[in-house]
Amino acid sequence: MTPDAARHHLDIAPEVSQALSRGGAVVALESTIITHGMPYPQNAAMAAGVEEIVRAEGATPATIAVVGGRLKIGLSQAEREALARAQGAMKLSRADLAYAVAQGRTGGTTVAATMIAAHLAGIKVFATGGIGGVHRGAATSFDISADLDELARTPVIVVSAGAKAILDVAKTLEVLETRGVPVVGFGTDVMPAFWSRTSPFPAPVRLDTPQEIARFQAVRDELGIGGGMLVANPVPEEAEIPAHEMAAHIAAAQAELEARGVTGKAVTPALLARILELTGGASLKTNIALVEDNARL
Ligand code: PSU
Ligand code: MN
């Protein structure tokens, strides 16, 4: 599966490589959520917890990250814990994944970089929290996540809780449609918005079982359509923060960041950190619950 030229940059964990060679189910997990998305020690507990959930469902977890220039497909417990504590880890997307490998650096992989690595390793499914998308104010800032382009080009199914409500969800859906990325509401006709189960937007298509999702991607493959797919799985009801409650916090965090002049890669982590403070930690609990539920799916 892995192209020869790429092989010597990858460290595929034994458990993952065995599962892949026997044709078993492997679920990729991202690591920017560990290095930039949540504080320690909750990040470490979340990362361990989602791996357990994947195992409990009979699949093999492969947390992906760059450690000292090695592209890790599956981390040992010690590596995962070290990454959760790491200071100064990079946030790696398509643009700088190879930079970190070439320079021997350590970093968390975003949705885009995790998709690239998963595909290199032959992994077809990836669970995360939320994807990056079109930011509010993108008309002037041009801030559109590389995650969207990656979904268009790399054939990996990404299970998320929708587009984060900190984004412009309508524009994110428009870009995904333009780039030919299917967005599947899992058991819902309404696009979920990360912390909240609903948004004002319909889900472009709906499927109710994992089998149907797998079949949809297989048919896309057979037709030579290519690219990935975004599954939008609403956060479990008991963990939801209603959209109207989040709206005020998001607006406040956004205004503060703008005043501080935060731009580029720093925007998403800074927004998440500020929203965590403004919700008194509730947003983090919800974030963990939805990542766990996506891993289960
Ligand atoms: N969702 C979270 N926390 C995160 C992210 C998503 O709850 O940290 C990360 C993902 O790795 C996603 C990235 O790929 O944010 C998007 O960053 P940007 O908007 O800079 O493309
Ligand atoms: Mn961005």
Side-chain angles (χ1 to χ4, degrees):
M1 263 289 178
T2 307
D4 282 341
R7 191 161 293 145
H8 72 284
H9 295 297
L10 268 60
D11 284 343
I12 307 187
E15 182 192 16
V16 174
S17 122
Q18 281 154 26
L20 286 170
S21 52
R22 68 165 189 270
V26 178
V27 178
L29 299 161
E30 68 149 304
S31 51
T32 290
I33 196 171
I34 303 174
T35 55
H36 291 74
M38 293 182 190
Y40 185 84
Q42 287 93 341
N43 62 348
M46 178 279 304
V50 292
E51 289 200 2
E52 272 325 297
I53 288 168
V54 169
R55 283 202 181 87
E57 295 294 329
T60 302
T63 300
I64 289 173
V66 177
V67 178
R70 303 295 301 166
L71 186 43
K72 298 276 179 186
I73 313 293
L75 297 179
S76 69
Q77 201 179 319
E79 288 168 333
R80 211 180 51 223
E81 183 67 27
L83 191 71
R85 291 171 180 267
Q87 302 288 318
M90 295 181 73
K91 174 183 164 188
L92 300 172
S93 189
R94 173 172 278 271
D96 40 22
L97 178 64
Y99 172 90
V101 171
Q103 292 286 315
R105 299 282 300 266
T106 292
T109 48
T110 59
V111 167
T114 305
M115 290 179 77
I116 294 170
H119 182 53
L120 282 172
I123 301 171
K124 296 180 171 150
V125 185
F126 158 29
T128 182
I131 60 155
V134 180
H135 278 263
R136 298 185 189 182
T140 50
S141 71
F142 279 38
D143 189 348
I144 301 176
S145 176
D147 291 353
L148 301 184
D149 262 19
E150 206 58 51
L151 280 160
R153 67 198 285 180
T154 302
V156 172
I157 298 174
V158 178
V159 182
S160 73
K164 266 170 284 181
I166 57 176
L167 300 169
D168 187 323
V169 177
K171 289 192 180 69
T172 300
L173 287 169
E174 289 293 349
V175 170
L176 287 168
E177 188 195 19
T178 302
R179 307 279 160 92
V181 179
V183 179
V184 178
F186 180 68
T188 180
D189 295 313
V190 173
M191 187 66 187
F194 201 69
W195 297 286
S196 319
R197 289 174 61 81
T198 60
S199 73
F201 312 103
V205 294
R206 170 183 178 148
L207 291 172
D208 292 319
T209 65
Q211 290 74 16
E212 288 170 293
I213 296 171
R215 177 167 160 71
F216 180 20
Q217 181 68 349
V219 171
R220 294 181 74 237
D221 233 39
E222 287 161 8
L223 296 180
I225 290 171
M229 155 180 321
L230 181 66
V231 175
N233 177 33
V235 59
E237 227 167 305
E238 61 278 11
E240 164 173 48
I241 306 177
H244 68 269
E245 273 177 45
M246 284 309 297
H249 297 313
I250 293 166
Q254 213 109 40
E256 284 176 36
L257 255 67
E258 239 178 80
R260 280 164 44 201
V262 178
T263 56
K265 293 166 93 72
V267 170
T268 297
L271 275 173
L272 291 172
R274 189 63 189 118
I275 288 167
L276 190 155
E277 289 170 2
L278 290 169
T279 60
S283 67
L284 179 57
K285 275 195 193 140
T286 300
N287 198 343
I288 293 169
L290 63 85
V291 177
E292 289 177 349
D293 198 55
N294 294 338
R296 203 167 287 122
L297 173 57

